[in-house]
Amino acid sequence: MGLSIPVPVSGAALRAGVLEVVVLGGHLLLYPTGMLQEKPAATGAKHPGRTPALLLHGFTDNRSVFVLLRRTLAAGGRQVEAYNYSPFTRDLRATARHLARRVEELCERTGQERVDLVGHSLGGLVGRYYVQRLGGDARVRTLVTLGTPHSGTRVAPFMDAHPLIRQIRPDSQVLAELRAPAPGCRTRCVAFWSEFDELMDPTETARIEHPDLVAENVQVTGIGHLALAAHPAVTAAVRRALDGPVRAAAESPGDAASVA
């Protein structure tokens, strides 16, 4: 945020790479703290007027990736929880079914009819599958994704032996299901994407392009994949996305303001 000064792409890419290394180092230190499933808040906890938020991590990650984002979202009194799915998950669709049960439990415990989902990387795809294919749009008010391969990514072909990696390829059955019609979907979607996201190939795959979805795509500049879940400019923008629309009145549907 603030004054933006144009720089050569090579310089911006270098800065994004350095930031990514710094974020990775901090995340590795915090990773052990997020390995266990967190204990849910006490039964009957009520947060009237605030939709609770549930955070979904990416492939081989855990809830520790959301330390800074969680703090930002909770600052306004919103109840924020994280869902750790198993690192041994082999099917995104099975994880989405587990997520459905977790959302129902959260709604019952908080007394809220709907929740917001924020997913980083693969977590965003899990959330979207739940919303589009499992009736989750009845429970999810807003789905925010951070560096999620909505159209599939071709990065790391040597990892195709893993079933989850095969499911995020452009020609996978899972992505074919997500391309299918989704008339009447009630969930608002906001997708953050960056031209320096090293895990998105092509980078525009992190945009949501679906005629039946109410979707806003927010371009982030100068930030890599891991930093999308931690950078102050992004965490503040996610909070605004959950508080209300981020699209400027003059912008067309499917686009949104950039985050610098």
PDB file of all heavy atoms in Angstrom, residues 46-64:
ATOM      1  N   LYS A  46     -20.770 -17.426  21.262  1.00  0.00           N
ATOM      2  CA  LYS A  46     -21.588 -16.642  20.334  1.00  0.00           C
ATOM      3  C   LYS A  46     -20.847 -15.389  19.917  1.00  0.00           C
ATOM      4  O   LYS A  46     -20.219 -14.720  20.735  1.00  0.00           O
ATOM      5  CB  LYS A  46     -22.916 -16.247  20.986  1.00  0.00           C
ATOM      6  CG  LYS A  46     -23.699 -17.408  21.586  1.00  0.00           C
ATOM      7  CD  LYS A  46     -24.192 -18.392  20.537  1.00  0.00           C
ATOM      8  CE  LYS A  46     -25.007 -19.518  21.188  1.00  0.00           C
ATOM      9  NZ  LYS A  46     -25.412 -20.545  20.231  1.00  0.00           N
ATOM     10  N   HIS A  47     -20.909 -15.073  18.655  1.00  0.00           N
ATOM     11  CA  HIS A  47     -20.300 -13.859  18.118  1.00  0.00           C
ATOM     12  C   HIS A  47     -21.317 -13.200  17.198  1.00  0.00           C
ATOM     13  O   HIS A  47     -21.167 -13.215  15.977  1.00  0.00           O
ATOM     14  CB  HIS A  47     -19.010 -14.185  17.365  1.00  0.00           C
ATOM     15  CG  HIS A  47     -17.937 -14.736  18.245  1.00  0.00           C
ATOM     16  ND1 HIS A  47     -16.887 -13.973  18.679  1.00  0.00           N
ATOM     17  CD2 HIS A  47     -17.773 -15.961  18.789  1.00  0.00           C
ATOM     18  CE1 HIS A  47     -16.098 -14.718  19.455  1.00  0.00           C
ATOM     19  NE2 HIS A  47     -16.622 -15.917  19.528  1.00  0.00           N
ATOM     20  N   PRO A  48     -22.400 -12.638  17.779  1.00  0.00           N
ATOM     21  CA  PRO A  48     -23.455 -12.062  16.946  1.00  0.00           C
ATOM     22  C   PRO A  48     -22.934 -10.952  16.042  1.00  0.00           C
ATOM     23  O   PRO A  48     -22.122 -10.132  16.452  1.00  0.00           O
ATOM     24  CB  PRO A  48     -24.444 -11.518  17.991  1.00  0.00           C
ATOM     25  CG  PRO A  48     -23.663 -11.385  19.253  1.00  0.00           C
ATOM     26  CD  PRO A  48     -22.625 -12.441  19.209  1.00  0.00           C
ATOM     27  N   GLY A  49     -23.431 -10.964  14.809  1.00  0.00           N
ATOM     28  CA  GLY A  49     -23.050  -9.918  13.865  1.00  0.00           C
ATOM     29  C   GLY A  49     -21.754 -10.180  13.132  1.00  0.00           C
ATOM     30  O   GLY A  49     -21.415  -9.453  12.209  1.00  0.00           O
ATOM     31  N   ARG A  50     -21.014 -11.196  13.513  1.00  0.00           N
ATOM     32  CA  ARG A  50     -19.744 -11.511  12.866  1.00  0.00           C
ATOM     33  C   ARG A  50     -19.773 -12.942  12.344  1.00  0.00           C
ATOM     34  O   ARG A  50     -19.949 -13.887  13.116  1.00  0.00           O
ATOM     35  CB  ARG A  50     -18.581 -11.360  13.857  1.00  0.00           C
ATOM     36  CG  ARG A  50     -18.149  -9.930  14.101  1.00  0.00           C
ATOM     37  CD  ARG A  50     -17.404  -9.401  12.894  1.00  0.00           C
ATOM     38  NE  ARG A  50     -16.866  -8.070  13.112  1.00  0.00           N
ATOM     39  CZ  ARG A  50     -16.141  -7.409  12.246  1.00  0.00           C
ATOM     40  NH1 ARG A  50     -15.840  -7.970  11.097  1.00  0.00           N
ATOM     41  NH2 ARG A  50     -15.700  -6.197  12.500  1.00  0.00           N
ATOM     42  N   THR A  51     -19.584 -13.085  11.054  1.00  0.00           N
ATOM     43  CA  THR A  51     -19.516 -14.425  10.475  1.00  0.00           C
ATOM     44  C   THR A  51     -18.186 -15.064  10.847  1.00  0.00           C
ATOM     45  O   THR A  51     -17.131 -14.477  10.599  1.00  0.00           O
ATOM     46  CB  THR A  51     -19.640 -14.352   8.947  1.00  0.00           C
ATOM     47  OG1 THR A  51     -20.849 -13.687   8.600  1.00  0.00           O
ATOM     48  CG2 THR A  51     -19.639 -15.744   8.335  1.00  0.00           C
ATOM     49  N   PRO A  52     -18.185 -16.241  11.460  1.00  0.00           N
ATOM     50  CA  PRO A  52     -16.910 -16.880  11.803  1.00  0.00           C
ATOM     51  C   PRO A  52     -16.135 -17.261  10.551  1.00  0.00           C
ATOM     52  O   PRO A  52     -16.710 -17.509   9.487  1.00  0.00           O
ATOM     53  CB  PRO A  52     -17.337 -18.125  12.599  1.00  0.00           C
ATOM     54  CG  PRO A  52     -18.746 -18.377  12.197  1.00  0.00           C
ATOM     55  CD  PRO A  52     -19.343 -17.041  11.880  1.00  0.00           C
ATOM     56  N   ALA A  53     -14.821 -17.307  10.677  1.00  0.00           N
ATOM     57  CA  ALA A  53     -13.948 -17.647   9.552  1.00  0.00           C
ATOM     58  C   ALA A  53     -13.202 -18.936   9.850  1.00  0.00           C
ATOM     59  O   ALA A  53     -12.706 -19.138  10.972  1.00  0.00           O
ATOM     60  CB  ALA A  53     -12.958 -16.520   9.279  1.00  0.00           C
ATOM     61  N   LEU A  54     -13.135 -19.796   8.860  1.00  0.00           N
ATOM     62  CA  LEU A  54     -12.405 -21.053   8.972  1.00  0.00           C
ATOM     63  C   LEU A  54     -11.282 -21.048   7.935  1.00  0.00           C
ATOM     64  O   LEU A  54     -11.528 -20.803   6.747  1.00  0.00           O
ATOM     65  CB  LEU A  54     -13.348 -22.232   8.731  1.00  0.00           C
ATOM     66  CG  LEU A  54     -12.800 -23.642   8.990  1.00  0.00           C
ATOM     67  CD1 LEU A  54     -12.367 -23.802  10.445  1.00  0.00           C
ATOM     68  CD2 LEU A  54     -13.861 -24.692   8.633  1.00  0.00           C
ATOM     69  N   LEU A  55     -10.050 -21.313   8.371  1.00  0.00           N
ATOM     70  CA  LEU A  55      -8.875 -21.226   7.518  1.00  0.00           C
ATOM     71  C   LEU A  55      -8.427 -22.620   7.084  1.00  0.00           C
ATOM     72  O   LEU A  55      -8.372 -23.549   7.900  1.00  0.00           O
ATOM     73  CB  LEU A  55      -7.739 -20.514   8.266  1.00  0.00           C
ATOM     74  CG  LEU A  55      -8.109 -19.201   8.968  1.00  0.00           C
ATOM     75  CD1 LEU A  55      -6.879 -18.604   9.653  1.00  0.00           C
ATOM     76  CD2 LEU A  55      -8.710 -18.212   7.984  1.00  0.00           C
ATOM     77  N   LEU A  56      -8.056 -22.752   5.809  1.00  0.00           N
ATOM     78  CA  LEU A  56      -7.660 -24.037   5.230  1.00  0.00           C
ATOM     79  C   LEU A  56      -6.267 -23.918   4.626  1.00  0.00           C
ATOM     80  O   LEU A  56      -6.053 -23.135   3.710  1.00  0.00           O
ATOM     81  CB  LEU A  56      -8.649 -24.450   4.137  1.00  0.00           C
ATOM     82  CG  LEU A  56     -10.132 -24.444   4.512  1.00  0.00           C
ATOM     83  CD1 LEU A  56     -10.990 -24.615   3.264  1.00  0.00           C
ATOM     84  CD2 LEU A  56     -10.424 -25.538   5.515  1.00  0.00           C
ATOM     85  N   HIS A  57      -5.327 -24.695   5.133  1.00  0.00           N
ATOM     86  CA  HIS A  57      -3.937 -24.633   4.666  1.00  0.00           C
ATOM     87  C   HIS A  57      -3.747 -25.393   3.360  1.00  0.00           C
ATOM     88  O   HIS A  57      -4.656 -26.056   2.851  1.00  0.00           O
ATOM     89  CB  HIS A  57      -3.000 -25.179   5.742  1.00  0.00           C
ATOM     90  CG  HIS A  57      -3.252 -26.630   6.075  1.00  0.00           C
ATOM     91  ND1 HIS A  57      -2.821 -27.658   5.272  1.00  0.00           N
ATOM     92  CD2 HIS A  57      -3.890 -27.215   7.128  1.00  0.00           C
ATOM     93  CE1 HIS A  57      -3.170 -28.821   5.812  1.00  0.00           C
ATOM     94  NE2 HIS A  57      -3.835 -28.582   6.928  1.00  0.00           N
ATOM     95  N   GLY A  58      -2.538 -25.317   2.832  1.00  0.00           N
ATOM     96  CA  GLY A  58      -2.225 -25.962   1.567  1.00  0.00           C
ATOM     97  C   GLY A  58      -1.569 -27.322   1.718  1.00  0.00           C
ATOM     98  O   GLY A  58      -1.451 -27.880   2.816  1.00  0.00           O
ATOM     99  N   PHE A  59      -1.118 -27.854   0.605  1.00  0.00           N
ATOM    100  CA  PHE A  59      -0.517 -29.186   0.514  1.00  0.00           C
ATOM    101  C   PHE A  59       0.697 -29.319   1.433  1.00  0.00           C
ATOM    102  O   PHE A  59       1.595 -28.483   1.397  1.00  0.00           O
ATOM    103  CB  PHE A  59      -0.115 -29.427  -0.948  1.00  0.00           C
ATOM    104  CG  PHE A  59       0.557 -30.743  -1.208  1.00  0.00           C
ATOM    105  CD1 PHE A  59      -0.117 -31.930  -0.996  1.00  0.00           C
ATOM    106  CD2 PHE A  59       1.862 -30.785  -1.692  1.00  0.00           C
ATOM    107  CE1 PHE A  59       0.501 -33.152  -1.257  1.00  0.00           C
ATOM    108  CE2 PHE A  59       2.482 -31.995  -1.958  1.00  0.00           C
ATOM    109  CZ  PHE A  59       1.805 -33.186  -1.734  1.00  0.00           C
ATOM    110  N   THR A  60       0.717 -30.373   2.262  1.00  0.00           N
ATOM    111  CA  THR A  60       1.782 -30.706   3.224  1.00  0.00           C
ATOM    112  C   THR A  60       1.996 -29.619   4.279  1.00  0.00           C
ATOM    113  O   THR A  60       2.967 -29.661   5.022  1.00  0.00           O
ATOM    114  CB  THR A  60       3.145 -30.996   2.545  1.00  0.00           C
ATOM    115  OG1 THR A  60       3.706 -29.781   2.018  1.00  0.00           O
ATOM    116  CG2 THR A  60       3.015 -32.029   1.444  1.00  0.00           C
ATOM    117  N   ASP A  61       1.100 -28.674   4.378  1.00  0.00           N
ATOM    118  CA  ASP A  61       1.250 -27.584   5.341  1.00  0.00           C
ATOM    119  C   ASP A  61       0.362 -27.837   6.553  1.00  0.00           C
ATOM    120  O   ASP A  61      -0.244 -28.895   6.707  1.00  0.00           O
ATOM    121  CB  ASP A  61       0.896 -26.258   4.673  1.00  0.00           C
ATOM    122  CG  ASP A  61       1.706 -25.082   5.216  1.00  0.00           C
ATOM    123  OD1 ASP A  61       2.199 -25.190   6.354  1.00  0.00           O
ATOM    124  OD2 ASP A  61       1.841 -24.068   4.516  1.00  0.00           O
ATOM    125  N   ASN A  62       0.258 -26.850   7.446  1.00  0.00           N
ATOM    126  CA  ASN A  62      -0.671 -26.919   8.559  1.00  0.00           C
ATOM    127  C   ASN A  62      -1.089 -25.510   8.963  1.00  0.00           C
ATOM    128  O   ASN A  62      -0.699 -24.528   8.337  1.00  0.00           O
ATOM    129  CB  ASN A  62      -0.077 -27.709   9.738  1.00  0.00           C
ATOM    130  CG  ASN A  62       1.168 -27.052  10.332  1.00  0.00           C
ATOM    131  OD1 ASN A  62       1.248 -25.840  10.496  1.00  0.00           O
ATOM    132  ND2 ASN A  62       2.162 -27.867  10.668  1.00  0.00           N
ATOM    133  N   ARG A  63      -1.862 -25.397  10.026  1.00  0.00           N
ATOM    134  CA  ARG A  63      -2.459 -24.118  10.415  1.00  0.00           C
ATOM    135  C   ARG A  63      -1.447 -23.056  10.811  1.00  0.00           C
ATOM    136  O   ARG A  63      -1.796 -21.875  10.900  1.00  0.00           O
ATOM    137  CB  ARG A  63      -3.450 -24.339  11.560  1.00  0.00           C
ATOM    138  CG  ARG A  63      -2.846 -24.957  12.820  1.00  0.00           C
ATOM    139  CD  ARG A  63      -3.945 -25.347  13.804  1.00  0.00           C
ATOM    140  NE  ARG A  63      -3.417 -26.070  14.944  1.00  0.00           N
ATOM    141  CZ  ARG A  63      -2.977 -25.515  16.062  1.00  0.00           C
ATOM    142  NH1 ARG A  63      -2.997 -24.189  16.166  1.00  0.00           N
ATOM    143  NH2 ARG A  63      -2.523 -26.251  17.055  1.00  0.00           N
ATOM    144  N   SER A  64      -0.190 -23.433  11.035  1.00  0.00           N
ATOM    145  CA  SER A  64       0.814 -22.446  11.443  1.00  0.00           C
ATOM    146  C   SER A  64       1.068 -21.399  10.356  1.00  0.00           C
ATOM    147  O   SER A  64       1.564 -20.313  10.639  1.00  0.00           O
ATOM    148  CB  SER A  64       2.136 -23.129  11.811  1.00  0.00           C
ATOM    149  OG  SER A  64       2.692 -23.787  10.690  1.00  0.00           O
TER     150      SER A  64
END
